[in-house]
Amino acid sequence: MGKIDEMKTSTRVLMGPGPSEVHPRVLRAMATPLIGHLDPEFLGVMDDIKAMTQETLQTKNPLTFVVSAPGSAGMETCLVNLLEPGDEAVICIHGVFGNRMAEIAERCGAKVIKVEAEWGTPIKIEDVERALKNRSPKVLAIVHAETSTGVLQPLEEISRLTKAAGALFVVDAVTSYCGAELKVDEWGIDALYSGTQKCLSAPPGLSPVTFSQAAIDVLESRKTKVQSWFLDLTLVKNYWAGAKRAYHHTAPVSAMYAMREALRIVLEEGLADRFKRHQRNYELLRDGLENMGIKYLVEEKYRLPMLNAVRIPEGVDDTDVRKRLLEKYNIEIGGGLGPFAGKVWRIGLMGESSDANHVNMLLAALKDVM
Amino acid sequence: MGKIDEMKTSTRVLMGPGPSEVHPRVLRAMATPLIGHLDPEFLGVMDDIKAMTQETLQTKNPLTFVVSAPGSAGMETCLVNLLEPGDEAVICIHGVFGNRMAEIAERCGAKVIKVEAEWGTPIKIEDVERALKNRSPKVLAIVHAETSTGVLQPLEEISRLTKAAGALFVVDAVTSYCGAELKVDEWGIDALYSGTQKCLSAPPGLSPVTFSQAAIDVLESRKTKVQSWFLDLTLVKNYWAGAKRAYHHTAPVSAMYAMREALRIVLEEGLADRFKRHQRNYELLRDGLENMGIKYLVEEKYRLPMLNAVRIPEGVDDTDVRKRLLEKYNIEIGGGLGPFAGKVWRIGLMGESSDANHVNMLLAALKDVM
């Protein structure tokens, strides 16, 4: 093997579907020399993260913690802990991440009932009603902010229907967390996972998760062991919340330092102001794109402010434009996933990346390269 | 919730069972502003990590990669991908981590045959022979460096027996990797996982893994899906090695920056010199401890140089000594796990923490607080 040199990366403007840009304070916190994962000072760091995660999720759930792996592992955590072989799970699918939930639920041995909507539209209430009729599934799972389509899914009515059917309400909030209203307790969410690399603007690699008491009751009355040892909350919870803070696995100390600082920045700005900023920069981008004749995929009232899915104009080459944006302007935007590959761009305005200067830079660069 | 202040941690001397100390170059690399996980420059970072992981593991396995989660997830990756319900798995247990492998194998639905040794001693060849007699298990799994006991397990003869029985040889090298000889190809290892926070001296949170062609053949001829979607190598391998580098999950970009730099430091020192340094500092510690009348748990020829398990002297209070080491001297050492709690200390000399000054500081501090 030849000698591998010092790492040299370009200074990118991150406007894809995540990771978003990270504040220098977060990078600096992450570079703090390490302490042990069982050091009383580190347990204090965990307590701080837990308290700030509760506040940002608007929940009082005592079982609020961070999975030591990215959002997909958070998704798997929620499903493997709540589902046992033979359980019924209603999974709502309006994009890639709903499909992923169904895939994981099937691997748990659950009987999956799919409620689908056309990609780019939200799940319809009446379709949920129909799926729940004469059924009492263990869970209903749905994506709040579909990163593959840019759809913001209204949750409150579906939560009510789910409760009425006696099921647990499981929500994917990977992309909405810290960028749009998300009220875990008020909306009756029983299990929720997110990621750090979207509107929280910390590096990727961690997944905040919260479980309601109803979800804990289901967890504690399981007949079978959780199929994943690493994600087994009957074990993990003793490290996060146990009286003895028992060792389970070695926590990613540096990533937790970063998350702590990112949460502080969110709370300094305030959730309400942060959501307004995300909305304002979305509007700036929308107006600019529409002036260029670029159309959104999603009807205005269901659009995510932090993830703008737009149709690639006729005759414009997807790969070529994204390559030139990256090479000439150092700007990253995202391509389409699955059936949207080559047809849709996904422009992220998440956390630190939700910024008027970013929007203006991108609009000018797009005009040039298109 | 009250306002949460800037993080203030003490400057610890990390001499426990991991995390070990991290070189300032690694911290600095980790603090590099992020690029996207599908950016061509990031795919280059992954390629560099793969090449250096192959070199440090002494393997040419094309399927050498990094799990986006700590060592326990690496353990689970190896077992869930190779085992299917009903398979026989011989699991060697001489400490906590062998037990954990058995626990995971059972959650895969495997029929587990345990080969046990007294904690503090290695697995005996004749016990392995007996377990394999008239059996053809799918895998035999064993811990190379038992972090809970300080035992270095000889592997070559057991590898030969495993191959003769037609099984795959699975090895936990979490603590030995980059600190003691570990020859994946020469020793016939089929699947191996490690961690970043021990002798590699990168922050915790990632798990390097390698699979031989024989292991890939078993993976590719599975009858059932891998029970974990997040750890499913039939999917993950396309992100690490596929022609198209397909998106699977968002990789922990900053942690990978850190790992890349830590690997460069290992190769600059050279594996042989690094192993000698670990041995030399172990000997310095051993002589100092023996002068104080402190005895090792493990017979000399099976001792790990990077993880020194010693018996707590009669009449000495475990918690009190460790608390005073931490509070007065900022030195962390590890307590005992399981049956060794309160009876054993685990002193880590891993990676950057394997240093003569560290040894001298610890010996002086121990004399004071004991």
Side-chain angles (χ1 to χ4, degrees):
Chain A
M1 190 185 75
K3 185 172 170 299
I4 288 181
D5 286 331
E6 184 186 1
M7 187 174 73
K8 288 178 182 159
T9 50
S10 301
T11 304
R12 301 296 199 203
V13 180
L14 296 178
M15 302 184 73
S20 58
E21 293 186 20
V22 166
H23 195 285
R25 275 173 55 189
V26 172
L27 297 176
R28 196 175 63 199
M30 185 165 56
T32 306
L34 279 76
I35 57 177
H37 61 291
L38 295 169
D39 192 308
E41 292 187 359
F42 188 69
L43 300 178
V45 168
M46 292 169 70
D47 291 341
D48 293 343
I49 288 173
K50 177 177 168 174
M52 291 190 283
T53 303
Q54 287 170 324
E55 182 152 338
T56 47
L57 285 171
Q58 304 188 54
T59 182
K60 296 199 180 343
N61 287 338
L63 188 54
T64 299
F65 63 99
V66 181
V67 175
S68 301
S72 299
M75 180 188 287
E76 197 155 315
T77 298
C78 290
L79 295 171
V80 297
N81 280 282
L82 296 176
L83 292 173
E84 296 187 71
D87 283 344
E88 280 191 339
V90 174
I91 310 285
C92 299
I93 302 173
H94 56 111
V96 166
F97 296 94
N99 263 327
R100 186 173 295 183
M101 291 200 295
E103 177 67 38
I104 292 174
E106 279 166 1
R107 291 179 191 217
C108 297
K111 185 177 167 243
V112 171
I113 299 107
K114 296 181 180 176
V115 178
E116 303 194 56
E118 195 189 344
W119 285 33
T121 70
I123 298 289
K124 291 195 191 77
I125 304 291
E126 53 269 32
D127 290 340
V128 172
E129 272 176 329
R130 198 174 307 119
L132 289 173
K133 203 170 180 182
N134 304 321
R135 271 212 184 84
S136 38
K138 188 86 156 287
V139 308
L140 179 141
I142 194 163
V143 177
H144 185 217
E146 221 342 313
T147 323
S148 63
T149 66
V151 166
L152 179 68
Q153 173 70 48
L155 293 180
E156 289 173 89
E157 181 61 14
I158 295 176
S159 175
R160 206 188 52 73
L161 293 170
T162 303
K163 296 302 166 92
L168 296 173
F169 190 47
V170 177
V171 171
D172 173 321
V174 170
T175 293
S176 53
Y177 174 55
C178 291
E181 199 63 83
L182 176 62
K183 296 177 171 176
V184 168
D185 289 354
E186 197 178 315
W187 294 355
I189 296 171
D190 291 301
L192 177 142
Y193 58 92
S194 186
T196 47
Q197 80 280 14
K198 310 275 187 180
C199 299
L200 175 59
S201 269
L206 298 177
S207 177
V209 168
T210 190
F211 267 48
S212 73
Q213 188 55 51
I216 294 173
D217 292 345
V218 165
L219 173 68
E220 288 180 347
S221 60
R222 288 181 66 98
K223 290 182 194 75
T224 58
K225 280 190 181 175
V226 176
Q227 67 188 27
S228 168
W229 183 91
F230 176 58
L231 303 175
D232 182 348
L233 291 188
T234 66
L235 306 172
V236 174
K237 73 177 163 56
N238 299 321
Y239 179 40
W240 274 87
K244 216 182 135 267
R245 307 296 284 256
Y247 162 67
H248 176 258
H249 63 273
T250 305
V253 173
S254 305
M256 298 282 284
Y257 287 172
M259 183 175 179
R260 184 185 183 284
E261 190 66 12
L263 283 162
R264 286 181 75 228
I265 292 173
V266 170
L267 294 175
E268 285 167 19
E269 181 175 16
L271 285 179
D273 285 345
R274 194 173 181 90
F275 301 157
K276 276 185 216 148
R277 171 166 61 85
H278 278 82
Q279 181 64 23
R280 197 164 61 237
N281 289 317
Y282 147 69
E283 288 168 8
L284 184 66
L285 178 69
R286 175 200 62 197
D287 295 350
L289 291 173
E290 286 178 354
N291 276 338
M292 294 170 67
I294 295 178
K295 306 234 177 315
Y296 272 76
L297 180 74
V298 179
E299 189 188 343
E300 176 128 28
K301 70 174 180 173
Y302 295 118
R303 280 184 207 157
L304 290 173
M306 69 288 286
L307 196 284
N308 295 259
V310 299
R311 297 183 191 278
I312 301 172
E314 281 299 320
V316 171
D317 185 84
D318 170 31
T319 314
D320 176 62
V321 167
R322 285 194 290 127
K323 190 165 185 268
R324 285 160 68 206
L325 275 180
L326 196 66
E327 290 179 358
K328 185 166 176 190
Y329 290 100
N330 267 314
I331 298 177
E332 174 180 91
I333 65 169
L337 290 181
F340 286 158
K343 293 178 186 156
V344 162
W345 286 323
R346 293 180 301 149
I347 303 170
L349 297 172
M350 301 175 176
E352 295 298 318
S353 295
S354 171
D355 177 86
N357 288 330
H358 279 53
V359 171
N360 294 334
M361 284 195 284
L362 173 64
L363 289 170
L366 253 187
K367 271 180 199 139
D368 176 48
V369 299
M370 250 172 59
Chain B
M1 189 184 76
K3 185 172 170 298
I4 288 182
D5 286 330
E6 182 187 2
M7 187 175 73
K8 289 178 182 160
T9 50
S10 302
T11 304
R12 301 295 199 202
V13 179
L14 296 177
M15 303 184 73
S20 58
E21 292 185 22
V22 166
H23 196 284
R25 275 173 55 189
V26 172
L27 297 175
R28 196 173 65 199
M30 186 163 57
T32 305
L34 278 77
I35 57 177
H37 60 290
L38 295 169
D39 192 307
E41 292 186 0
F42 187 69
L43 300 179
V45 168
M46 291 168 72
D47 291 340
D48 292 343
I49 288 173
K50 177 177 168 175
M52 290 190 284
T53 303
Q54 288 171 323
E55 182 152 340
T56 47
L57 286 171
Q58 305 188 54
T59 181
K60 296 200 183 339
N61 286 339
L63 189 53
T64 299
F65 63 101
V66 180
V67 175
S68 300
S72 299
M75 181 189 285
E76 197 155 314
T77 299
C78 289
L79 295 171
V80 297
N81 280 281
L82 296 176
L83 291 173
E84 296 187 72
D87 283 343
E88 280 191 341
V90 174
I91 310 284
C92 300
I93 302 173
H94 56 112
V96 165
F97 296 93
N99 263 327
R100 185 172 295 182
M101 292 200 295
E103 177 67 38
I104 292 174
E106 279 166 2
R107 291 178 191 217
C108 298
K111 186 178 167 242
V112 171
I113 299 105
K114 296 180 182 177
V115 178
E116 303 195 56
E118 195 188 344
W119 286 31
T121 70
I123 298 289
K124 292 194 191 77
I125 304 291
E126 53 269 32
D127 291 340
V128 173
E129 272 176 327
R130 198 173 308 119
L132 290 174
K133 202 171 181 184
N134 304 321
R135 271 210 185 85
S136 37
K138 188 86 156 286
V139 307
L140 180 142
I142 194 163
V143 177
H144 186 215
E146 226 333 320
T147 322
S148 63
T149 66
V151 166
L152 178 68
Q153 173 71 50
L155 293 179
E156 290 173 87
E157 180 62 14
I158 295 176
S159 175
R160 205 188 53 73
L161 294 170
T162 303
K163 297 303 168 93
L168 296 173
F169 189 48
V170 177
V171 171
D172 173 320
V174 169
T175 294
S176 52
Y177 175 55
C178 291
E181 199 64 82
L182 176 62
K183 297 177 171 176
V184 168
D185 289 353
E186 195 177 317
W187 294 356
I189 296 171
D190 291 301
L192 177 143
Y193 58 92
S194 185
T196 46
Q197 81 280 15
K198 310 277 185 177
C199 299
L200 175 59
S201 269
L206 299 177
S207 176
V209 168
T210 191
F211 267 48
S212 72
Q213 188 55 51
I216 294 173
D217 292 344
V218 165
L219 173 68
E220 289 180 347
S221 59
R222 289 180 66 98
K223 290 182 195 72
T224 58
K225 281 190 181 176
V226 176
Q227 68 188 28
S228 168
W229 183 90
F230 175 58
L231 303 175
D232 182 348
L233 291 188
T234 66
L235 306 171
V236 174
K237 72 179 165 55
N238 300 321
Y239 179 41
W240 274 88
K244 215 181 136 270
R245 307 295 285 254
Y247 163 66
H248 177 257
H249 63 274
T250 305
V253 174
S254 305
M256 298 281 285
Y257 287 173
M259 184 175 177
R260 184 185 184 283
E261 190 65 11
L263 283 162
R264 286 181 75 228
I265 292 173
V266 170
L267 293 176
E268 285 168 19
E269 180 175 18
L271 286 177
D273 284 346
R274 194 172 181 90
F275 301 157
K276 275 186 217 150
R277 171 167 61 85
H278 278 81
Q279 180 65 23
R280 197 166 59 238
N281 289 317
Y282 147 69
E283 289 168 8
L284 184 66
L285 178 69
R286 175 201 62 197
D287 295 350
L289 291 173
E290 286 179 353
N291 275 337
M292 293 169 67
I294 295 177
K295 305 233 176 318
Y296 274 76
L297 180 73
V298 179
E299 189 187 343
E300 176 128 28
K301 70 174 180 173
Y302 296 117
R303 278 183 209 159
L304 290 173
M306 70 287 287
L307 195 285
N308 295 257
V310 298
R311 296 183 192 279
I312 300 173
E314 279 302 319
V316 172
D317 185 84
D318 170 32
T319 314
D320 176 62
V321 167
R322 285 193 291 127
K323 189 164 185 269
R324 285 160 68 206
L325 275 180
L326 196 66
E327 291 179 357
K328 185 166 176 190
Y329 290 100
N330 267 314
I331 298 176
E332 175 180 271
I333 65 168
L337 291 179
F340 287 157
K343 294 179 187 156
V344 162
W345 287 324
R346 293 179 302 149
I347 302 170
L349 297 173
M350 300 174 175
E352 296 298 317
S353 294
S354 170
D355 177 89
N357 289 329
H358 279 52
V359 172
N360 293 334
M361 285 193 285
L362 173 65
L363 290 169
L366 253 186
K367 270 180 201 142
D368 176 48
V369 299
M370 250 171 59

